[in-house]
Amino acid sequence: MKKYYFLFFFIIIAFFTTQNGVAQNNADANLINKNIEGLSIYPNPVSSGKTFINISSRFNLNKKVEFYNVLGKLIFSINLSDKELNISNLSKGVYILKITENNITETRKLVIK
């Protein structure tokens, strides 16, 4: 009779241990961040004389680029179909770029000197 209690106890412990492990694996899978492959912004920092920056990625799909100031206020937004982006209307400072390509979003910092 004692053997059955031990076996039952062992099965219950194994069941709960397995359930916790599966739940943790699913949570970890949801936290994996997706990045835009090969995203690069250059030149960065930008000299004040430059009027264009290049934003490229591995697949070079259409991108939505949003410019924010350091306080989080949206300065302007543009849909970019090629690599060059005109920044002549931006003054010296630090900007946060929110770039969205193929439903994947990344943020980068841009410095204009």
Side-chain angles (χ1 to χ4, degrees):
M1 192 72 175
K2 290 183 181 181
K3 292 180 184 179
Y4 294 117
Y5 288 120
F6 179 75
L7 181 62
F8 179 74
F9 180 73
F10 180 76
I11 291 172
I12 295 296
I13 295 295
F15 176 78
F16 284 114
T17 304
T18 305
Q19 291 300 320
N20 288 338
V22 170
Q24 289 175 351
N25 288 340
N26 289 339
D28 292 341
N30 292 335
L31 294 176
I32 295 173
N33 293 331
K34 294 182 180 179
N35 295 328
I36 299 172
E37 288 186 51
L39 180 64
S40 66
I41 301 170
Y42 58 91
N44 191 10
V46 182
S47 302
S48 60
K50 301 273 185 178
T51 58
F52 289 95
I53 59 171
N54 291 309
I55 301 176
S56 63
S57 64
R58 180 175 178 201
F59 300 111
N60 286 322
L61 301 173
N62 290 337
K63 297 171 187 60
K64 180 179 180 182
V65 182
E66 298 174 328
F67 283 80
Y68 293 88
N69 65 12
V70 292
L71 299 175
K73 181 182 175 189
L74 179 64
I75 304 299
F76 77 93
S77 177
I78 189 167
N79 289 320
L80 186 66
S81 59
D82 58 352
K83 294 180 182 182
E84 279 192 348
L85 178 62
N86 186 349
I87 59 165
S88 61
N89 59 340
L90 295 175
S91 58
K92 293 180 182 180
V94 178
Y95 297 91
I96 306 299
L97 276 61
K98 181 179 174 184
I99 303 164
T100 304
E101 179 184 75
N102 199 22
N103 293 326
I104 301 172
T105 301
E106 270 197 58
T107 57
R108 296 287 175 93
K109 180 174 68 171
L110 177 68
V111 179
I112 301 176
K113 293 183 176 182

